[in-house]
Amino acid sequence: MGWADNNELALPIASNSIDSGHARLNELGYKQELKRDLSVLSNFAFSFSIISVITGITTLYNTGLRFGGPVAIVYGWVVTGCFTMIVGLSMAEICSSYPTSGGLYYWSAKLAGPNWAPFASWITGWFNIVGQWAVTTSVNYSLAELIQVMILLSTGGKNGGGYEGSKYVVIAIHGGLLLVHAIINSLSISWLSFFGQLAAGWNILGVFVLMILIPCVATEKASAEFVFTHFNTENTDGVNGRLYIFLLGLLMSQYTLTGYDASAHMSEETRSADINGPKGIISSIGISIIVGWGYLLGITFAVTDIPYLLDENNNAGGYAIAEVFYQSFKSRYGSGVGGIICLGVVGVAIFFCAMSSVTSNSRMAYAFSRDGAMPLSSLWHKVNGQEVPLNAVWLSAFISFCMALTSLGSEVAFEAMVSIATIGLYIAYAIPIFLRVTLARRSFKAGPFNLGRYGVVVGWTAVLWVAFISVLFSLPVAYPITGEKLNYTPVAVGGLLILTVSFWILNARRWFKGPITNIDR
């Protein structure tokens, strides 16, 4: 396993003027349409910013506390992190061989063989792009909710007559944030590279500041025994069984550790993408695992009363981490302003996460439309004078806003929509890996990064893990099961599958032939 000295795919057309990634793109049948300006650091920064451990952990920390508490949080992160790295390693190996913006759906087409390529590409592409839209929706909406909580705390808290915005206020904030993200993503790639690196630095520094500051400020601290051994079995959802509770608690970790396919989608804008794309995937996962675990430990050492943090009648309205930050400063200094500022640090990290999500979305839409897979493909495939797929940027922002509108009708409907963000993306991750270890087991030609003889074993492990979490996160999370408490994840994911397969059978199979080259356009 490692970086090959002699790449099987080395190209006779490669020269000093064309890096290996550009040459490989030409061999795959694509001319360079996007500005190749990103370094490995910038490529890593986009994936790392989308993973954004501060974003995922802060958003779903309530879930970790409710299902298992410290044990599920601390050890569940390690378990999930290890399996996520296995998935990432398999994706990195394929990315090294096929460094295109299409990423997953292009990989599926190449690995499935000529007979199955169009269908495999179609299914993978739609799960990938809808999953990405759902990620942008959930991240932006979580930031809007956090801003609402910060306003609530700044005006006195829930118990002090603070202002608690309605769902219409939250959706308005969500729309405003998407507008800003679309404007930023309309800038040149050099500006996006700068913001991406700034985001990565902010995430790392933010984690270290918060993991040290919060437990130091808190007047009441949890013991090491509590952090590493306390298992919370008490929940208001009627869920029993320690193993079942622990597994449900993994959702926080797995939701956080998604989005690293951005390194693949940015490959046509990355120098030496067949090397730096895989590096971006692996390094973003590895560093996220390390800093995320530190963030979890730091915050959990400030947790002393789980039922109170989850109580909707606390000052933060049941937003656990916001309550931890606020009470830590208020108990020591008599004012929670410092906690609100810390929430601002988290908010900036979430802002950058959503910004990078729109970047990744737009590149996927650009690549998918380049191959005619989307309605009005010629419109979304256009690039402007700065070599930015401007129309795809605004399309991604608009669809993410529309998906969030489901929250106005029903919170259950919105949660079902957002569930695609985790399961939908991981299904898209698993399909090309599955094809690599089955149909393409003997024909797959590795790039500079490869897993050698371990590729098939690692690939099968990745596929089985995705199958496991797909079933796990579709199980009931509350008993007795009612319309309000039903887990609608299988409905949302199954609905997407039915729609994509049905449209394929009725229409798309007649005209969609999978990725098509543009070298002669």
Side-chain angles (χ1 to χ4, degrees):
M1 180 175 70
W3 305 94
D5 292 327
N6 297 309
N7 181 4
E8 281 185 85
L9 301 175
L11 307 173
I13 63 172
S15 68
N16 292 332
S17 61
I18 304 179
D19 70 24
S20 59
H22 193 167
R24 180 59 179 147
L25 185 66
N26 275 278
E27 186 189 63
L28 295 174
Y30 292 105
K31 62 184 177 182
Q32 188 72 38
E33 294 183 316
L34 303 175
K35 188 175 182 180
R36 190 177 291 278
D37 196 41
L38 298 182
S39 64
V40 63
L41 177 60
S42 296
N43 184 283
F44 150 81
F46 280 108
S47 282
F48 183 73
S49 299
I50 293 177
I51 293 175
S52 183
V53 294
I54 294 181
T55 299
I57 291 173
T58 301
T59 302
L60 286 186
Y61 193 72
N62 280 44
T63 300
L65 283 182
R66 180 175 289 110
F67 298 114
V71 166
I73 288 171
V74 173
Y75 299 109
W77 181 265
V78 176
V79 171
T80 303
C82 290
F83 282 105
T84 299
M85 179 58 80
I86 288 173
V87 176
L89 284 169
S90 290
M91 289 174 61
E93 182 182 50
I94 302 173
C95 179
S96 182
S97 186
Y98 308 118
T100 75
S101 292
L104 307 170
Y105 89 90
Y106 183 89
W107 305 347
S108 290
K110 298 297 288 186
L111 296 168
N115 293 330
W116 288 100
F119 180 69
S121 178
W122 176 264
I123 293 295
T124 306
W126 278 110
F127 265 92
N128 191 194
I129 197 167
V130 174
Q132 286 189 349
W133 284 329
V135 166
T136 302
T137 302
S138 63
V139 171
N140 250 304
Y141 194 83
S142 68
L143 176 55
E145 288 187 315
L146 179 62
I147 291 173
Q148 186 274 322
V149 170
M150 292 171 64
I151 294 172
L152 173 64
L153 292 172
S154 299
T155 54
K158 190 166 185 177
N159 297 319
Y163 174 76
E164 192 167 8
S166 68
K167 58 185 178 182
Y168 297 100
V169 171
V170 174
I171 202 71
I173 296 173
H174 170 75
L177 290 169
L178 277 171
L179 178 63
V180 175
H181 293 315
I183 292 172
I184 292 175
N185 274 279
S186 299
L187 302 176
S188 68
I189 190 62
S190 58
W191 276 105
L192 287 178
S193 175
F194 167 76
F195 282 121
Q197 293 184 46
L198 178 62
W202 186 276
N203 271 273
I204 293 175
L205 282 176
V207 164
F208 281 104
V209 168
L210 295 175
M211 66 181 281
I212 295 171
L213 181 62
I214 298 303
C216 287
V217 169
T219 55
E220 294 184 18
K221 300 179 181 62
S223 65
E225 180 182 4
F226 176 85
V227 172
F228 291 103
T229 66
H230 179 71
F231 192 92
N232 180 40
T233 58
E234 299 179 7
N235 57 75
T236 59
D237 302 298
V239 178
N240 300 309
R242 296 174 71 90
L243 179 59
Y244 192 18
I245 290 173
F246 178 82
L247 292 176
L248 290 179
L250 296 180
L251 178 60
M252 180 202 73
S253 302
Q254 196 63 81
Y255 171 80
T256 303
L257 296 171
T258 56
Y260 42 88
D261 57 311
S263 288
H265 295 304
M266 300 303 294
S267 61
E268 289 185 37
E269 294 163 88
T270 301
R271 298 188 293 271
S272 302
D274 52 347
I275 298 173
N276 292 333
K279 284 183 178 180
I281 293 173
I282 296 168
S283 59
S284 62
I285 296 172
I287 295 176
S288 293
I289 292 171
I290 295 170
V291 299
W293 201 60
Y295 181 56
L296 283 170
L297 286 178
I299 301 306
T300 307
F301 266 107
V303 171
T304 56
D305 189 345
I306 294 176
Y308 174 73
L309 293 178
L310 297 175
D311 188 349
E312 293 183 357
N313 294 314
N314 63 31
N315 277 310
Y319 201 123
I321 282 188
E323 185 67 22
V324 169
F325 289 6
Y326 185 76
Q327 286 299 330
S328 294
F329 279 86
K330 189 173 183 179
S331 61
R332 180 170 292 275
Y333 301 110
S335 171
V337 173
I340 298 173
I341 293 173
C342 288
L343 289 176
V345 173
V346 173
V348 173
I350 300 177
F351 178 87
F352 281 136
C353 175
M355 178 202 73
S356 297
S357 293
V358 173
T359 306
S360 183
N361 291 176
S362 62
R363 271 52 180 184
M364 174 60 194
Y366 156 81
F368 211 29
S369 61
R370 177 173 61 188
D371 296 315
M374 296 177 63
L376 303 175
S377 284
S378 60
L379 182 62
W380 316 126
H381 174 238
K382 287 182 179 179
V383 296
N384 64 10
Q386 295 179 311
E387 299 179 337
V388 172
L390 191 64
N391 294 343
V393 167
W394 287 91
L395 172 70
S396 297
F398 176 73
I399 291 181
S400 295
F401 178 73
C402 292
M403 292 177 76
L405 292 177
T406 56
S407 65
L408 298 178
S410 168
E411 192 66 29
V412 171
F414 177 71
E415 289 175 358
M417 187 73 69
V418 172
S419 66
I420 301 174
T422 301
I423 302 302
L425 270 186
Y426 268 93
I427 290 175
Y429 293 174
I431 293 175
I433 298 174
F434 175 76
L435 295 172
R436 182 259 181 269
V437 297
T438 53
L439 296 180
R441 179 173 180 174
R442 299 186 183 280
S443 60
F444 177 71
K445 294 182 179 181
F449 174 81
N450 65 84
L451 302 175
R453 60 181 179 177
Y454 301 106
V456 173
V457 174
V458 172
W460 272 115
T461 304
V463 170
L464 292 174
W465 174 252
V466 173
F468 171 71
I469 62 174
S470 297
V471 173
L472 173 62
F473 298 148
S474 298
L475 296 176
V477 295
Y479 293 92
I481 300 174
T482 64
E484 292 183 355
K485 294 183 177 181
L486 179 66
N487 184 352
Y488 284 88
T489 298
V491 177
V493 177
L496 176 60
L497 179 62
I498 291 172
L499 285 173
T500 53
V501 173
S502 297
F503 192 72
W504 170 261
I505 294 173
L506 297 175
N507 188 287
R509 64 187 176 87
R510 297 186 179 92
W511 51 266
F512 183 69
K513 304 304 179 183
I516 53 178
T517 65
N518 68 353
I519 203 77
D520 297 320
R521 290 180 189 174

